[in-house]
Amino acid sequence: MIDLLKAQKAFQKYITHYDSTIPSIRLKIIHTYKVIECSEYLCHKLHLSKEDSDLASLIALLHDIGRFEQWMRYQSFADHKTIDHALFSSQLLFDEGLIREFIEDDQYDDIIKHAIEQHNRYQVEDGFDEKTLLFIHLIRDADKLDNFRVKEEEKIENILYVSLDEVNHEQISEKIYQQFSQQQLIYAPDRHTHIDMWLSYIAFIFDLYFQESIQYIQDNHWVERSFQRLNPVDFKVNKQYQTLKQIALDYIQKRSAV
């Protein structure tokens, strides 16, 4: 049995160890609760059972549990430069036994573990059964959906760690331009500039699994809103940026019409 109220109280207790006045810590606390909301949205649209919906919410609650310690140790959320936050979250929960603070019943452990470990992968690994894949795709989509809200509400400085003016004076790396143009999820180590990073967040749309997630993006105009936050100064870069915007809009329009 899943007691979400108990799990949420345990999460609130856990985060008291971290200073919520630090912008990056506050960002991840809010993100956790918003990912739960996105997960609930998807579960409702997919007509999942209460048990499955509750399990998806629990996974959403725990998916970034390692982010807080990651930030305190490294002052960075860049996994390729620090630690894989998904694996670290899994280790905290299952190697160190933290999971039992959130749920006593161990029947869901394998699904929770696999979903958390796969939620930030460039591609989902092979070998999972249909049930496990459902929860992997739910958390991957819910996480990506809330990232669009984060990128709109948070200051650029809290996301990219440089000023908006600096980002707008940067170039788009050729490899990133090509990956986005080909409607591919962007491989994080290939990014070289902060505008590359920004485009990689928008490129999350190319990895969304559920049709309902695509509809969510379209209904909330997230592509337009995300592109509007930057305005590259260089004429050539701005032209590239607008081209990528149209590619993203066309992609959402095409997939939502399916």
Side-chain angles (χ1 to χ4, degrees), residues 13 15 20 63 74 89 162 186 193 196 217 228 235 255:
K13 180 180 178 181
I15 61 177
S20 61
H63 82 286
Y74 304 102
S89 296
V162 295
I186 290 171
T193 68
D196 287 349
I217 294 293
Q228 285 170 2
F235 177 79
R255 276 202 63 185

Side-chain angles (χ1 to χ4, degrees), residues 1-2 4 43 48-59 103 105 107-108 111 131 135:
M1 179 179 175
I2 301 171
L4 283 179
C43 289
L48 298 188
S49 68
K50 184 180 186 304
E51 180 183 20
D52 284 350
S53 297
D54 286 349
L55 179 54
S57 291
L58 180 62
I59 291 168
I103 181 170
D105 192 342
Q107 67 171 303
Y108 307 102
I111 290 177
K131 182 79 168 181
F135 291 98

